[in-house]
Amino acid sequence: MQPMDVLDFEALRAAAVSAEPFTHIVLERFVKPAALRAVFKDLPPMKGRGSFPIEALKLGPAARAAIAGLESDEFRAIVAEKFGLDLKGAPHMVTLRGNSGAQDGQIHTDSSAKRVTILLYLNPSDGAAWARQEGCLRLLRGPQNLEDYAAEVPPVDGTLLIFPNGPTTWHGHKQYVGQRYVVQMNYMTTSAKAKAEMRRHHLSALVKRLTRAA
């Protein structure tokens, strides 16, 4: 299976860039509906909290194609054009999180080592928690109030969220405890902090592979 069979690059090219509360794109069904069930099926079972390096995980072919699409030059070029960024040569980092805990969702901005944050949500839309707005990411106007949001993103059905990171890109979500799959990819800076995060990322992947092999 090829990335073009799984991800809708044409829809991304046509997607509007929103300015409130900060520059971002939300695109529903970036994973094509015909491929969505296969991608769900190809995700690995994940029992623990935390984000896992994608190279340390065993994914099926549809999920691998989705990841390959995110890592592709075509995706990078679209993101760069949409936000007016030069992303040539920018290193990237990809993780998968499968569960959300009581501690997750607190208001924060991402590390300054991350230039762009890309989130791809891979959960069925029929969950009652999403209807209660639990686990739905909110893009916030400030760091104090989770209810002061300009956009809310249910983590379902291949929805894609992209935003260039910055000091005012506050986001968070109402508490949700349970399965919540999200792929996070970041284009990184070339700073020492970013290089340290990448080293930790690759070391974590190696440790997890060796542990799994044992």
Side-chain angles (χ1 to χ4, degrees), residues 5-18:
D5 300 323
V6 177
L7 302 181
D8 194 342
F9 290 109
E10 291 307 312
L12 180 57
R13 286 190 180 92
V17 177
S18 300

Side-chain angles (χ1 to χ4, degrees), residues 14-144:
V17 177
S18 300
E20 294 296 330
F22 46 81
T23 306
H24 70 277
I25 290 173
V26 175
L27 177 60
E28 297 179 357
R29 296 181 178 84
F30 180 54
V31 176
K32 295 181 177 181
L36 194 60
R37 182 173 295 185
V39 173
F40 286 166
K41 182 176 178 293
D42 283 352
L43 296 172
M46 300 178 74
K47 296 181 180 179
R49 286 182 58 251
S51 297
F52 291 77
I54 204 72
E55 58 265 38
L57 299 171
K58 185 176 181 181
L59 281 70
R64 280 287 172 198
I67 300 301
L70 292 178
E71 294 182 309
S72 69
D73 291 340
E74 182 177 8
F75 184 84
R76 181 188 293 257
I78 297 171
V79 173
E81 181 179 359
K82 284 290 187 181
F83 296 104
L85 300 172
D86 181 2
L87 296 176
K88 291 178 182 177
H92 71 274
M93 185 169 67
V94 187
T95 60
L96 177 66
R97 178 183 289 264
N99 291 282
S100 180
Q103 309 95 312
D104 295 320
Q106 297 182 31
I107 296 173
H108 68 285
T109 61
D110 290 344
S111 163
S112 60
K114 299 173 179 178
R115 290 185 64 190
V116 182
T117 292
I118 296 114
L119 300 172
L120 180 63
Y121 291 108
L122 298 175
N123 306 285
S125 57
D126 57 0
W130 319 137
R132 297 191 299 267
Q133 298 176 293
E134 297 170 7
C136 299
L137 194 71
R138 292 177 174 180
L139 308 186
L140 305 169
R141 297 184 178 94
Q144 303 299 329

